[in-house]
Amino acid sequence: MNYINPKLLFTDVPSGKVGWQSPSNIALVKYWGKKDMQIPANPSLSFTLCKSLTKTIVEFSPSHSNGAKLDFFFEGKSNERFAKKTTLFFQNLLDIFPFLNQLDFKISSNNSFPHSAGIASSASGMSAIAFALCDIERKYFDSLSDEDEFLRKVSFVSRLGSGSACRSVYGGLVSWGEISGIEKTSNLFGTKLSERINPIFNTYNDSILIVDAAQKKVSSSIGHGLMNSNPFSGKRFIQAYSNITELLKIIEIGDLEDFIRVVESEALTLHAMMMTSTPYFQLMKPNTISIIDKIWEYRKKTGTPVCFTLDAGPNIHLLYPDEYKYAVMDFINSELMEFTINNTIIHDKVGSGPKKLEL
Ligand code: PMV
């Protein structure tokens, strides 16, 4: 499947606008390492979030230049970096959406989370744009009327913008990458897990503790690339396959102790891969480690099934079921808050996925 379709060209070039909001996601089994064309080196699994999202409005009109012109406004201000990134993304999509060359674009995007929170917005941002493009196709061409087909293409296109973005297309628990024995999983798009989920996992909270808000020193794309020469990568990819297979069973049974063991190990392994790359790097901060120690102490003392995971950055994602919310809030306020920047915590939870904006 590659969705190349030279027929997607307008005879009458329209003007219009379309808007989508799309959430961020947090991986439980991490994607770290890829092959050409954003094919993941191993399958991954994530919770789609609810409150951490990007709202994007794409306005389009007939292009009078030779090829598309694209202006990008982020949080109300013209943003050259995002304009360049999106222009490149659109150029790479020309075989899939040949009509892109017939249009000029004004894209306006806002994140629900503070710009300075150090939260990556590529998953929410790229998936929101992919929704908008597939929506233009659905409106003006005789295709994508089937909702499943529409979402699959959105996920495929999102993946080409940012790998993990392909998982943000669906709510709940979403996998990406072929997993043997699990139907409909693919390296090309994300798959929503809808069966065999213990209901407790629909109630999960993710309190994101902001430890450092600075831009990452090493981008994810460089980090993925360094896995090609990492001496432990082969073992890591095998481990990720086995972790995802195990985690899927755990999620069905609802064993929180095993859930914690696999999820925390995945987070630490991700960072271990950074430390064992050449050149080596690491993205945690002293306060990241202090929080992890506090979580381990608290869990040992109280038995509360709260655990952490990490993205490619220093901020802690604290994961726990809703029934422990009040206890965990007390724990955060009394023991963890001091390690955050200006008490910045984003209390998020598992969400139901993207939505079209009424304009
Ligand atoms: O989608 P990218 O290229 O930003 O990579 C994301 C990598 C991690 O966030 C570290 C893990 C994941 O699976 O989301």
Side-chain angles (χ1 to χ4, degrees):
M1 183 194 292
N2 56 24
Y3 292 112
I4 290 175
N5 186 353
K7 288 194 193 133
L8 294 182
L9 278 168
F10 296 117
T11 24
D12 288 322
V13 186
S15 292
K17 62 178 165 182
V18 56
W20 280 83
Q21 70 172 48
S22 191
S24 186
N25 67 72
I26 180 67
L28 305 171
V29 174
K30 310 291 181 182
Y31 148 59
W32 197 244
K34 62 179 164 187
K35 304 175 191 163
D36 276 354
M37 300 300 293
Q38 305 270 65
I39 299 298
N42 63 261
S44 54
L45 179 70
S46 55
F47 276 138
T48 291
L49 297 178
C50 172
K51 296 185 193 158
S52 306
L53 48 88
T54 301
K55 286 187 184 183
T56 298
I57 296 173
V58 175
E59 293 173 68
F60 50 94
S61 54
S63 176
H64 299 298
S65 49
N66 195 10
K69 182 172 152 294
L70 188 150
D71 294 319
F72 201 111
F73 291 84
F74 179 64
E75 312 211 312
K77 287 198 203 113
S78 172
N79 188 308
E80 264 313 298
R81 192 165 69 85
F82 287 168
K84 273 196 188 136
K85 206 172 161 184
T86 314
T87 303
L88 187 67
F89 181 38
F90 281 17
Q91 279 164 1
N92 290 336
L93 294 176
L94 275 176
D95 287 342
I96 296 173
F97 302 118
F99 62 78
L100 288 177
N101 248 351
Q102 297 177 289
L103 299 169
D104 285 342
F105 294 94
K106 179 183 170 202
I107 301 181
S108 311
S109 196
N110 288 284
N111 289 342
S112 63
F113 40 91
H115 182 43
S116 56
I119 296 190
S121 58
S122 62
S124 52
M126 286 300 180
S127 51
I129 292 175
F131 267 102
L133 298 183
C134 290
D135 215 8
I136 295 174
E137 174 183 338
R138 176 162 70 175
K139 178 162 182 195
Y140 293 99
F141 299 91
D142 189 20
S143 57
L144 302 182
S145 53
D146 177 82
E147 189 63 11
D148 287 348
E149 210 179 293
F150 173 73
L151 292 173
R152 209 173 306 126
K153 182 157 182 180
V154 175
S155 186
F156 180 97
V157 171
S158 302
R159 179 190 112 249
L160 299 174
S162 159
S164 59
C166 77
R167 298 186 309 240
S168 280
V169 169
Y170 302 97
L173 277 157
V174 184
S175 71
W176 168 37
E178 245 172 76
I179 312 168
S180 64
I182 309 286
E183 260 181 45
K184 296 186 188 153
T185 55
S186 169
N187 286 335
L188 304 179
F189 44 78
T191 306
K192 181 176 171 62
L193 294 186
S194 36
E195 286 158 34
R196 294 190 266 171
I197 298 178
N198 185 291
I200 198 157
F201 294 107
N202 301 325
T203 75
Y204 255 72
N205 291 278
D206 176 7
S207 293
I208 310 168
L209 310 180
I210 308 302
V211 166
D212 188 278
Q215 180 110 11
K216 283 186 286 199
K217 286 172 293 196
V218 180
S219 71
S220 287
S221 46
I222 290 178
H224 286 294
L226 292 175
M227 284 301 276
N228 293 331
S229 57
N230 185 306
F232 302 103
S233 61
K235 277 267 169 11
R236 158 62 195 156
F237 300 145
I238 293 169
Q239 179 208 39
Y241 273 99
S242 120
N243 278 348
I244 202 164
T245 311
E246 188 182 4
L247 196 58
L248 289 171
K249 283 190 200 123
I250 293 169
I251 283 171
E252 184 177 351
I253 297 165
D255 186 325
L256 299 189
E257 218 173 282
D258 282 342
F259 177 81
I260 290 169
R261 175 176 51 76
V262 175
V263 168
E264 290 191 345
S265 165
E266 274 290 317
L268 294 176
T269 303
L270 168 70
H271 285 258
M273 289 300 109
M274 299 174 190
M275 294 180 206
T276 52
S277 288
T278 308
Y280 48 79
F281 64 106
Q282 74 91 17
L283 301 177
M284 290 193 272
K285 296 284 173 196
N287 282 352
T288 312
I289 306 288
S290 299
I291 294 176
I292 292 175
D293 282 342
K294 287 279 178 194
I295 295 168
W296 287 343
E297 253 173 51
Y298 174 76
R299 206 165 60 220
K300 197 163 176 202
K301 198 169 67 191
T302 65
T304 310
V306 55
C307 68
F308 71 88
T309 189
L310 299 160
D311 238 330
N315 300 319
I316 295 273
H317 289 249
L318 202 60
L319 304 176
Y320 51 96
D322 221 28
E323 63 189 272
Y324 298 95
K325 191 168 171 173
Y326 293 106
V328 175
M329 286 302 150
D330 281 349
F331 168 51
I332 292 174
N333 289 329
S334 60
E335 298 198 47
L336 305 183
M337 196 68 101
E338 63 181 292
F339 299 109
T340 65
I341 288 196
N342 303 327
N343 298 340
T344 315
I345 301 184
I346 297 164
H347 292 292
D348 212 329
K349 55 187 189 177
V350 178
S352 57
K355 266 200 213 127
K356 184 164 173 152
L357 300 175
E358 298 298 335
L359 301 177

